[in-house]
């Protein structure tokens, strides 16, 4: 016990579970079934409230010992009573099983999904580093559970979900308190109109709501032609001549005004907008470079940043080649900046992509060197 990886409380829980397992092996079938029902939900085969509480206590012990964070999401199906009243309890039970399956499919193997009872589920996320990650998971679950469910009797049902979120250590220190905080946040989510989520902290809920609204606007930024390119010149000190420029993106939002990259680029990477935005700025830069050449200005090198998401596209070389061909901008005047973190990715794919880009005639530059 002195050499155990677990603290005292967690070790006690583990000893209890091991003891229960040893006892279960000696039982007959009926006794084993009874033991199973004490830990698992018989309808969905998910861990039940007792097992979830045990998992949560152990997770909190790990988080305290490792000084990490975790998030508890409490989910409640919207208007589930109407399903039972309209279609009967067997249909309601079938829907709960499908919801359980869909939750398990969307979560990582390291996440815990449990059914507390009725139409209430929990999802436990360990090792949480950023609030934005939790918000992204909540958004995904709300969206995914709104998709129609097809029952075996060919009945198609649509149902929404409300989610309450509590964080450790920000909102609670014990399993009981964390469950209460998540349940309180769930009540707020339902008060806001259902089919959404809320955090236990009003301030964090406001930040999450702002992020969702910003993401919604950002998805339409290219379509609404709100993105802009500005050029930071590279000047030769001896002559004062501009010999190059770096293309930088700005977002001129109709609602929010001018936004700098630090405000929207990380969000674009999270919600999957960065690839089309990256192609947009590459095309705009090559078009501008061609226009300057056609106007009689001397050739200058134009530099564009490649995000990690863009770089690992299977067809990134084809994308760059197509844009160069479309715009007529000379490949030798285009410089692509890749971050040091991209180059540190293991495997041969990175080298192959770099060779493919170099074969097009473009120049490559290392960005954020030393990080």
């Amino acid at each position: 016990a002195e050499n155990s990886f677990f603290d005292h409380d967690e070790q006690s829980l583990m000893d209890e579970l091991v003891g229960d397992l040893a006892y279960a092996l000696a039982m007959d079938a009926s006794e084993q079934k009874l033991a199973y029902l004490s830990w698992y939900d018989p309808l969905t085969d998910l861990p039940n409230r007792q097992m979830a509480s045990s998992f949560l206590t152990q997770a909190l012990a790990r988080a305290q010992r490792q000084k990490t964070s975790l998030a508890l999401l409490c989910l409640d199906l919207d208007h589930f009573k109407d399903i039972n009243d309209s279609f009967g309890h067997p249909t309601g039970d079938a829907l709960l099983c499908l919801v359980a399956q869909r939750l398990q499919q969307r979560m990582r193997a390291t996440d815990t999904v449990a059914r507390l009872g009725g139409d209430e589920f929990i999802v436990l996320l360990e090792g949480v580093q950023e609030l934005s990650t939790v918000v992204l998971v909540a958004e995904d679950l709300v969206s995914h559970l709104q998709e129609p469910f097809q029952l075996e009797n060919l009945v198609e049902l649509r149902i929404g979900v409300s989610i309450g979120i509590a964080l450790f250590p920000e909102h609670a220190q014990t399993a009981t308190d964390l469950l209460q905080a998540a349940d309180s946040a769930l009540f707020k989510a339902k008060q806001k109109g259902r089919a959404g989520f809320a955090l236990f902290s009003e301030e964090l809920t406001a930040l999450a709501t702002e992020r969702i609204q910003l993401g919604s606007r950002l998805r339409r930024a290219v379509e609404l032609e709100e993105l802009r390119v500005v050029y930071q010149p590279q000047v030769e000190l001896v002559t004062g001549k501009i010999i190059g420029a770096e293309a930088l993106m700005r977002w001129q939002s109709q609602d929010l005004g001018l936004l700098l990259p630090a405000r929207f680029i990380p969000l674009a990477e999270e919600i999957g907008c960065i690839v089309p935005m990256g192609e947009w700025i590459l095309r705009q830069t090559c078009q501008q470079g061609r226009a300057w050449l056609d106007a009689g200005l001397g050739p200058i090198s134009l530099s564009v940043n490649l995000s990690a998401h863009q770089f690992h596209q299977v067809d990134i070389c084809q994308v760059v080649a197509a844009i160069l061909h479309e715009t007529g901008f000379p490949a030798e005047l285009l410089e692509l900046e890749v971050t040091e973190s991209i180059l540190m990715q293991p495997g041969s794919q990175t080298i192959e992509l770099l060779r493919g880009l170099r074969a097009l005639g473009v120049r490559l530059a290392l960005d954020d060197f030393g990080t």
Side-chain angles (χ1 to χ4, degrees), residues 83 87 91 98 148-158:
I83 301 293
F87 297 94
T91 297
L98 292 177
F149 291 89
Q150 187 76 45
L151 276 62
E152 290 184 359
N153 59 5
L154 301 183
V155 172
E156 184 178 281
L157 296 175
R158 290 179 179 269

Side-chain angles (χ1 to χ4, degrees), residues 141-186:
L141 291 178
V142 169
S143 174
H144 197 60
L145 291 177
Q146 285 178 332
E147 296 177 6
F149 291 89
Q150 187 76 45
L151 276 62
E152 290 184 359
N153 59 5
L154 301 183
V155 172
E156 184 178 281
L157 296 175
R158 290 179 179 269
I159 194 165
V161 64
S162 297
I163 302 177
I165 304 171
L167 307 174
F168 168 84
E170 290 88 342
H171 300 148
Q173 302 295 313
T174 67
T176 300
D177 290 345
L178 199 64
L179 274 167
Q180 289 179 347
D183 196 56
S184 175
L186 174 61

Side-chain angles (χ1 to χ4, degrees), residues 26 77-79 88 98 114 181 196 199-200 285 287 300 316 338 345 347:
L77 303 183
D78 296 333
H79 306 296
L98 292 177
L199 286 96
F200 180 71
T285 302
Q287 287 177 347
I300 64 171
I316 182 61
V338 294
Q345 295 295 321

Side-chain angles (χ1 to χ4, degrees), residues 291-316:
W292 282 333
L293 290 173
D294 292 343
L297 300 178
I300 64 171
S301 172
L302 294 181
S303 176
V304 180
N305 290 281
L306 280 186
S307 76
H309 293 74
Q310 278 181 282
F311 184 78
H312 290 293
Q313 278 182 279
V314 177
D315 60 345
I316 182 61

Side-chain angles (χ1 to χ4, degrees), residues 24-185:
L25 292 174
M27 295 178 182
D28 60 27
S30 60
E31 290 175 318
Q32 289 180 16
K33 180 66 173 178
L34 188 61
Y36 175 83
L37 293 177
S38 67
W39 290 103
Y40 289 91
D41 172 48
L43 179 63
T44 63
D45 284 329
L46 291 177
N48 61 15
R49 181 181 290 271
Q50 182 176 345
M51 178 71 89
S53 178
S54 175
F55 282 161
L56 180 55
T57 301
Q58 294 177 50
L60 285 170
R62 282 191 294 273
Q64 288 171 340
R65 184 174 60 253
Q66 299 169 1
K67 292 181 171 49
T68 57
S69 299
L70 60 82
L72 182 66
L73 282 64
C74 191
L75 293 77
D76 190 84
L77 303 183
D78 296 333
H79 306 296
F80 180 72
K81 183 177 181 298
D82 294 342
I83 301 293
N84 282 333
D85 292 345
S86 301
F87 297 94
H89 287 274
T91 297
D93 288 348
L95 177 61
L96 290 173
C97 291
L98 292 177
V99 168
Q101 293 172 15
R102 197 170 285 187
L103 286 174
Q104 288 179 302
Q105 291 167 357
R106 298 305 292 179
M107 306 314 300
R108 304 169 301 179
T110 54
D111 300 326
T112 299
V113 179
R115 182 189 177 205
L116 299 187
D119 61 329
E120 189 173 4
F121 299 82
I122 64 164
V123 173
L124 175 62
L125 307 176
E126 296 190 58
V128 172
Q129 296 181 343
E130 299 288 344
L131 174 61
S132 59
T133 302
V134 182
V135 172
L136 202 63
V137 171
E139 284 184 283
D140 178 73
L141 291 178
V142 169
S143 174
H144 197 60
L145 291 177
Q146 285 178 332
E147 296 177 6
F149 291 89
Q150 187 76 45
L151 276 62
E152 290 184 359
N153 59 5
L154 301 183
V155 172
E156 184 178 281
L157 296 175
R158 290 179 179 269
I159 194 165
V161 64
S162 297
I163 302 177
I165 304 171
L167 307 174
F168 168 84
E170 290 88 342
H171 300 148
Q173 302 295 313
T174 67
T176 300
D177 290 345
L178 199 64
L179 274 167
Q180 289 179 347
D183 196 56
S184 175

Side-chain angles (χ1 to χ4, degrees), residues 3-16:
N3 296 324
S4 173
F5 288 106
F6 305 106
D7 62 19
H8 178 72
D9 292 337
E10 189 173 359
Q11 185 66 50
S12 299
L13 285 167
M14 291 300 296
D15 291 342
E16 181 183 344

